[in-house]
Amino acid sequence: MARSDEFFEQASALLGTRGLTVDEDLLEPWLTDWRGRYTGRAIALAQPENAGDLSKLVNLCAHFGIPIVPQGGNSGMSGGATPDASGDALLLSTRRMDTIQSIESGSSQVTCGAGVILQSLHEAAEEKGMRFPLTLGGKGSATIGGLISTNAGGTQVLRHGTMRAQILGLQAVMANGEIFDSLTPLKKDNRGFDLKQLLIGSEGTLGIVTAATLRLLPALATRRVMFVGLDRITGARSLLLHAQREVPDLLEGFEVMPRHTLESVLAHHPGTRDPLSAAHDWYALIELAADEAGRDRIDARTEAFLSGALESELLSDATIAANETQAEALWHLRDGISAAERALGPAMQHDISVPVEKMAEFVEYAQPEMERCFPGTTAVAFGHLGDGNVHFHVLAPSGAVRGEWEEGQGAAISRKVHDLVTEWGGSISAEHGIGQMKRSELGRLGDPASLFILRSVKKALDPNGLLNPGKLVPAEPA
Ligand code: FAD
């Protein structure tokens, strides 16, 4: 019997027909990343139900030398969940690990499987009068395991931190099949390294997350969402500082976008409309939110914040959502950007950060600089200004052929953006991870000490390179 047949026989006996498939039609949707930039092949799709079965499967893969590519909702932006073209790897989906094991308002904690979708977690928390304080545009697909493995950010980092800040405990299957279990959180635990931190943001290269214990917060009582027109992104930064001075305890979100981006959202999403009657070069979407204790004063404080901003000439045009439907419509303009940009044609997307206080200045410099160096392109920046993180996209000149353009001029564009970011003391991956997209750039620009540690940890925990090969950890220099 061929070795691959032997593997299938043993894996099928372990997982059953629901847990393992080689049906190409069932595999096909999961072999291309969300952005449509990478397509790979796989020997099969495995969907174990729990950590015990996964542990046995990992041992089986180790025995047969089969690499494993973990995948959650496949909403990642860096090609981390897409296997390579060899067809040697097993695609490992966590979708069946979708149980919420416990959710307690007393301890403000939830323990759930890695395959639970973010939106489902939000709904489960809401039913208990709680909330999970992390959200992003891909919430209908992104899973808890994927969010942990990319240390995802989103639109509430300003107030609540990234995914790392929400994680109290973790369970994961390691490359040797051992189950690492720290699901029961301890307030104090000084037995050396905090091992779960290694797995957070490791993009499936050190272990496969199977479950997590996460912190919850009391539900918000009310919120005020506003959309503000501005002349410059530096003006948005001044307005943010004003908000951080005047309403620090209410400031839940502060996102920026240029006119070009708003127009692409309006063109792509039916039913959307420009919230302001006049056009502006820049916009800020601001959310102020209060719990029960702050409910009575939120209107007075929102008014004071806006009138103070008007008096200081920090804004000239703004609208406030009158109800939840309008608030959701304003957020839809922000959450709909990724899909709208994707429909515009080829673009090089960069998820970058520089020190928070320098980001507005960086955008004002880098935007015209990129358009000058690469005539015919359009550079746009949008997102999380308050975190010093924007999505800096350079859209291809008209007529560019998808696929070809990215490999040629697109690659030169990304190198230039990453060089600029590095010169400004920033990061080439603020929240989307490295995946396969930025692996060689991390190798080119990462500092030697960090690269040494990254490679050493990978070698120690996955000596045979079984877990998500070709992702995140740059190859050794020749
Ligand atoms: P996948 O895409 O399936 O995988 C992502 C990576 O994690 C891969 O390397 C994969 O191998 C690994 N992985 C997945 N599950 C596991 C596991 N259980 N154990 C080990 N490794 C695993 N991201 C942000 O940070 N901020 C944003 O604002 C944001 N906005 C988005 C908006 C839209 C419209 C979309 C589509 C995506 C957005 N994202 C954003 C990106 C994406 O949602 C996140 O990267 C998310 O964390 C990926 O989760 P996933 O379950 O889809 O993971």
Side-chain angles (χ1 to χ4, degrees):
M1 190 189 280
R3 275 177 75 73
S4 57
D5 292 341
E6 254 184 85
F7 169 75
F8 285 124
E9 195 176 286
Q10 294 184 34
S12 303
L14 173 67
L15 301 175
T17 41
R18 277 195 69 205
L20 188 79
T21 181
V22 290
D23 183 331
E24 286 186 8
D25 289 341
L26 294 177
L27 267 162
E28 198 262 342
W30 309 109
L31 294 175
T32 298
D33 71 309
W34 187 83
R35 274 184 167 144
R37 199 155 165 215
Y38 302 98
T39 296
R41 290 169 58 229
I43 54 164
L45 170 67
Q47 307 189 78
E49 257 186 316
N50 54 56
D53 285 353
L54 178 57
S55 159
K56 290 179 194 143
L57 181 67
V58 168
N59 282 328
L60 210 54
C61 287
H63 178 73
F64 286 95
I66 292 173
I68 300 172
V69 177
Q71 189 179 85
N74 198 24
S75 71
M77 297 288 201
S78 307
T82 310
D84 66 20
S86 69
D88 293 339
L90 178 72
L91 190 59
L92 188 282
S93 169
T94 58
R95 271 179 290 277
R96 286 173 78 207
M97 298 183 193
D98 60 352
T99 311
I100 295 187
Q101 285 122 19
S102 68
I103 179 160
E104 292 166 26
S105 40
S107 59
S108 301
Q109 288 174 11
V110 57
T111 297
C112 67
V116 168
I117 289 172
L118 180 57
Q119 172 102 42
S120 311
L121 180 62
H122 284 162
E123 287 162 8
E126 207 176 302
E127 273 174 31
K128 294 274 179 182
M130 314 282 290
R131 68 178 171 132
F132 179 62
L134 184 140
T135 193
L136 41 78
K139 66 187 171 201
S141 313
T143 61
I144 297 308
L147 295 161
I148 292 171
S149 304
T150 57
N151 183 27
T155 52
Q156 293 176 333
V157 173
L158 185 63
R159 189 170 186 182
H160 304 290
T162 63
M163 191 66 186
R164 192 180 294 279
Q166 322 309 328
I167 299 167
L168 303 172
L170 211 66
Q171 185 191 65
V173 174
M174 308 306 289
N176 63 358
E178 292 281 347
I179 300 177
F180 166 75
D181 195 330
S182 75
L183 275 182
T184 310
L186 298 171
K187 184 98 176 158
K188 297 178 97 173
D189 180 13
N190 274 348
R191 289 173 288 177
F193 311 145
D194 186 351
L195 294 171
K196 67 178 178 302
Q197 298 299 342
L198 261 185
L199 288 157
I200 301 168
S202 69
E203 300 182 35
T205 61
L206 300 183
I208 304 164
V209 177
T210 47
T213 302
L214 306 167
R215 77 178 179 126
L216 298 173
L217 295 178
L220 286 172
T222 189
R223 64 175 176 170
R224 298 294 173 267
V225 178
M226 56 213 92
F227 201 75
V228 174
L230 298 156
D231 296 337
R232 295 174 57 181
I233 188 172
T234 44
R237 163 92 182 133
S238 306
L239 185 61
L240 171 64
L241 290 175
H242 173 69
Q244 286 175 326
R245 267 191 315 269
E246 300 301 318
V247 282
D249 52 320
L250 300 182
L251 188 59
E252 183 79 8
F254 193 104
E255 298 285 304
V256 296
M257 68 178 87
R259 178 75 196 168
H260 185 285
T261 301
L262 177 64
E263 280 175 2
S264 55
V265 172
L266 298 175
H268 181 73
H269 295 285
T272 50
R273 63 175 193 86
D274 190 338
L276 302 174
S277 47
H280 299 271
D281 287 342
W282 282 92
Y283 298 93
L285 175 63
I286 308 170
E287 178 169 314
L288 304 182
D291 56 16
E292 269 315 321
R295 181 198 277 275
D296 293 346
R297 295 196 55 232
I298 194 168
D299 282 323
R301 294 190 63 200
T302 304
E303 213 179 295
F305 158 67
L306 284 175
S307 56
L310 269 171
E311 271 164 35
S312 310
E313 296 181 358
L314 295 174
L315 63 85
S316 55
D317 198 3
T319 183
I320 307 185
N323 51 44
E324 262 306 300
T325 310
Q326 287 184 12
E328 279 301 310
L330 291 180
W331 269 111
H332 184 49
L333 298 176
R334 168 63 186 93
D335 291 340
I337 294 177
S338 296
E341 291 264 315
R342 195 172 59 155
L344 283 182
M348 298 311 288
Q349 292 105 350
H350 312 97
D351 157 45
I352 55 170
S353 65
V354 299
V356 177
E357 66 282 3
K358 288 191 190 164
M359 183 45 98
E361 207 188 316
F362 175 84
V363 172
E364 288 209 334
Y365 171 73
Q367 217 169 348
E369 175 67 3
M370 292 309 295
E371 291 173 359
R372 186 186 66 77
C373 293
F374 299 95
T377 60
T378 305
V380 295
F382 62 90
H384 324 299
L385 184 69
D387 307 331
N389 165 210
V390 294
H391 303 302
F392 191 91
H393 293 186
V394 182
L395 314 181
S398 61
V401 179
R402 202 186 280 273
E404 275 173 32
W405 178 79
E406 287 92 337
E407 302 307 320
Q409 188 182 51
I413 287 172
S414 287
R415 277 196 298 277
K416 170 89 181 159
V417 171
H418 292 158
D419 286 345
L420 281 178
V421 166
T422 307
E423 275 165 34
W424 283 61
S427 165
I428 64 168
S429 174
E431 58 175 12
H432 292 161
I434 296 293
Q436 53 183 302
M437 190 188 223
K438 287 170 261 177
R439 183 176 175 237
S440 61
E441 284 294 81
L442 181 62
R444 185 173 74 87
L445 295 167
D447 76 280
S450 304
L451 292 175
F452 167 74
I453 297 170
L454 208 57
R455 291 182 180 122
S456 305
V457 172
K458 171 71 177 171
K459 260 185 243 157
L461 295 189
D462 182 19
N464 298 319
L466 194 70
L467 295 179
N468 221 359
K471 314 288 169 53
L472 171 58
V473 184
E476 294 281 358

